[in-house]
Amino acid sequence: MEKFLKDALEIRELAKQHNKLFGESIPLIASENVMSPLAMEMLLTDFGHRYAEGLPHQRYYQGNFFVDQMEDKVIELGKKLFNAPQVDPRPVSGTNANMGVIFGLTKPMERICAPDLSGGGHISAARFGALGFRGLDIVNYPYDEDTMTIDVDGARKTILETKPNLCLFGQSVFLFPAPIKELKDTFQEVGCKVWYDAAHVIGLIAGKKFQDPLREGADVISGSTHKTLPGPQHGIIVGNTDEKTWKKVQKGVFPGVLSNHHLNTMAALGVTMAEMLDYGEAYAQEIINNARTLAEELYSLGMGVLAEKNGFTRSHTLVADVRKFGGGKEVAEKLERCNIILNKNLIPVDHNKNPQDPSGIRIGTQEITRIGFSRNDVKELADLMMKIIQNRISEERAKDEVKTMKSRFNEVKYCYGKADPYEYIELFK
Ligand SMILES: *Cc1c(COP(=O)(O)O)cnc(C)c1O
């Protein structure tokens, strides 16, 4: 008697409903994306059942004959895509990659300079996040709220005064390139290593459209592989540093912060990187064009998009102050009721505000671009969003309009083959 089949099928039903919801929604979360059919296929392979601790050809378990060849290929594709001599595709997420770097390059009590949370920094760079748990002394760079960038002169002063062992760049609200080349001499003067957290922008870097951190002075880049890089939920570290430093980073990854490294997602990452070598430049350019267009259009329709002074954005992300429409929580929930999915976000004016009730929203254009939105579609979307936010249309009517609009975009682009990324595929019969 199968007593719990009902529960299992309930979970499946929720997954089906979730797929349908996203199939009928416009996805604007800046940290998400959809995979290609070939990458999706990799997730369902036997790679996902196996262990392969260590590095290719130096494993601890048997059974890795094809795994080794696959991992070699993934590394080779990563080196080509990032034009880098060192690639470690084992971290299982961006935070896991960050922890590998932290374990490899720092010891407790050492000092690190990092972006501030109110300037868009990630929780892994916080006192209550991975950096804090490593026992590091964290110093934040000053941030320029008008341009939404790190204040370069202030950062130079901070680095010279505090003499950190490591300097970290990269945020979760990452609108403009980080000032690494501007600070290169400063890093050399204090003799620190430079770490660039590219979680959000690594797809734009792969497409050669944001900045080139390894050439500008970064030793290592860490990243998530599912934000602007449209792959599986996984992580990666890319390096252009001396052998000794790289060895430390690799030991930080294994045995530092993982044992097995999720071989099915790593295979999917390899497929995604091959697709990015073929389509990445066109994809990255279109993401940025769409972000700019969306920012300009929303701004002209009355939304308080930030960093106007700096052209709003040079990445996939834009942020807006929506206090006059009831604040981030209200706006995000209202849009969600109409099937437009984005998140509320702290913005610089929020200093000590509760993160559950911030003044802003964050929007990313990487997923809508991936499913074929052009600049005209983005303008249509901006119009619809403002009608909803300003209560110029009923929520019921708006939801229908969103569903109708979305039905034009049900195929994943910039990849091999064709598929509806939101389709539910049944295996269980
Ligand atoms: C998203 C993000 C990460 C890591 O995210 P994971 O969910 O662990 O992949 C790390 N750093 C920054 C700046 C991020 O935005």
Side-chain angles (χ1 to χ4, degrees):
M1 170 69 178
E2 288 168 331
K3 271 165 59 188
F4 295 100
L5 175 61
K6 192 165 79 32
D7 298 277
L9 291 178
E10 248 176 61
I11 291 174
R12 180 199 221 192
E13 191 49 41
L14 292 170
K16 283 188 179 177
Q17 286 178 27
H18 176 86
N19 274 34
K20 180 166 179 289
L21 171 65
F22 269 76
E24 295 177 342
S25 300
I26 294 183
L28 296 174
I29 305 265
S31 57
E32 298 178 352
N33 217 319
V34 283
M35 267 184 275
S36 74
L38 198 53
M40 286 283 276
E41 201 178 300
M42 289 305 107
L43 298 190
L44 296 174
T45 62
D46 185 68
F47 283 143
H49 301 140
R50 305 300 155 198
Y51 265 80
E53 286 179 344
L55 290 166
H57 315 286
Q58 313 165 27
R59 307 290 193 190
Y60 298 84
Y61 295 176
Q62 303 318 119
N64 292 149
F65 182 72
F66 294 108
V67 173
D68 282 352
Q69 296 174 61
M70 179 270 286
E71 190 162 329
D72 282 343
K73 185 53 106 182
V74 176
I75 292 169
E76 183 192 315
L77 286 163
K79 287 180 178 175
K80 278 208 188 83
L81 185 60
F82 296 104
N83 185 18
Q86 296 147 338
V87 169
D88 193 329
R90 293 176 301 171
V92 297
S93 73
T95 299
N96 188 233
N98 286 357
M99 288 168 65
V101 172
I102 294 165
F103 273 47
L105 297 189
T106 68
K107 293 196 176 62
M109 317 291 284
E110 285 184 353
R111 183 166 294 152
I112 184 165
C113 284
D116 198 349
L117 291 209
S118 68
H122 187 245
I123 35 170
S124 60
R127 279 184 184 80
F128 51 83
L131 289 188
F133 279 115
R134 180 63 168 162
L136 297 175
D137 175 17
I138 307 166
V139 179
N140 291 134
Y141 308 112
Y143 190 74
D144 181 342
E145 299 179 4
D146 278 347
T147 56
M148 297 289 284
T149 55
I150 287 170
D151 165 6
V152 180
D153 291 332
R156 185 174 291 119
K157 224 171 126 224
T158 302
I159 296 166
L160 290 173
E161 273 169 13
T162 61
K163 299 200 172 19
N165 303 81
L166 184 61
C167 279
L168 165 63
F169 294 89
Q171 301 113 267
S172 300
V173 174
F174 205 168
L175 308 182
F176 302 99
I180 331 177
K181 57 176 187 295
E182 293 82 348
L183 294 168
K184 197 169 181 172
D185 294 342
T186 312
F187 305 139
Q188 271 164 8
E189 198 172 327
V190 301
C192 64
K193 292 268 181 275
V194 181
W195 163 27
Y196 184 101
D197 179 348
H200 263 269
V201 294
I202 197 163
L204 307 179
I205 290 170
K208 303 186 168 60
K209 296 290 182 292
F210 192 61
Q211 67 184 126
D212 189 357
L214 292 181
R215 254 54 58 186
E216 293 170 25
D219 291 277
V220 290
I221 297 180
S222 59
S224 306
T225 58
H226 46 265
K227 297 182 180 178
T228 53
L229 191 72
Q233 292 193 327
H234 196 84
I236 193 168
I237 303 175
V238 181
N240 183 18
T241 190
D242 58 278
E243 243 345 272
K244 201 169 139 228
T245 304
W246 183 245
K247 278 257 146 55
K248 285 194 208 162
V249 170
Q250 290 212 293
K251 286 201 173 122
V253 173
F254 173 84
V257 296
L258 59 74
S259 69
N260 191 36
H261 50 280
H262 303 186
L263 306 173
N264 57 336
T265 56
M266 192 174 63
L269 169 59
V271 167
T272 306
M273 291 198 294
E275 292 175 325
M276 285 298 277
L277 279 161
D278 277 324
Y279 297 102
E281 293 190 29
Y283 178 43
Q285 188 61 60
E286 194 65 9
I287 291 172
I288 296 167
N289 292 347
N290 280 343
R292 277 252 171 163
T293 303
L294 187 55
E296 284 161 9
E297 201 66 15
L298 287 171
Y299 188 84
S300 74
L301 293 171
M303 165 116 51
V305 185
L306 300 186
E308 190 234 345
K309 202 173 149 186
N310 221 356
F312 303 113
T313 182
R314 275 180 59 194
S315 73
H316 61 304
T317 306
L318 48 132
V319 278
D321 179 341
V322 291
R323 281 177 293 183
K324 68 175 166 188
F325 304 114
K329 181 174 150 66
E330 186 163 323
V331 167
E333 287 175 359
K334 188 172 197 34
L335 288 169
E336 182 183 27
R337 289 194 295 275
C338 305
N339 282 22
I340 295 177
I341 315 283
L342 49 67
N343 65 283
K344 58 182 182 279
N345 216 94
L346 290 170
I347 53 175
V349 293
D350 283 337
H351 295 296
N352 289 315
K353 215 152 182 237
N354 174 3
Q356 291 292 357
D357 185 26
S359 305
I361 54 171
R362 184 183 68 164
I363 299 174
T365 54
Q366 72 297 334
E367 187 172 342
I368 53 170
T369 305
R370 178 85 160 148
I371 54 175
F373 272 64
S374 67
R375 273 184 267 199
N376 280 336
D377 304 317
V378 160
K379 286 182 187 163
E380 186 184 330
L381 172 62
D383 209 46
L384 188 50
M385 287 172 74
M386 290 310 288
K387 278 202 295 199
I388 296 168
I389 293 169
Q390 295 171 328
N391 300 315
R392 287 190 278 120
I393 183 174
S394 76
E395 289 182 5
E396 204 174 309
R397 172 94 192 281
K399 188 167 173 167
D400 280 341
E401 284 195 23
V402 169
K403 283 189 190 177
T404 306
M405 183 176 188
K406 180 63 182 301
S407 66
R408 308 197 319 249
F409 305 96
N410 47 19
E411 196 178 277
V412 54
K413 313 280 186 202
Y414 306 100
C415 67
Y416 310 136
K418 280 187 184 352
D420 176 347
Y422 309 99
E423 184 190 351
Y424 188 92
I425 297 162
E426 289 190 2
L427 218 51
F428 176 82
K429 303 256 162 32

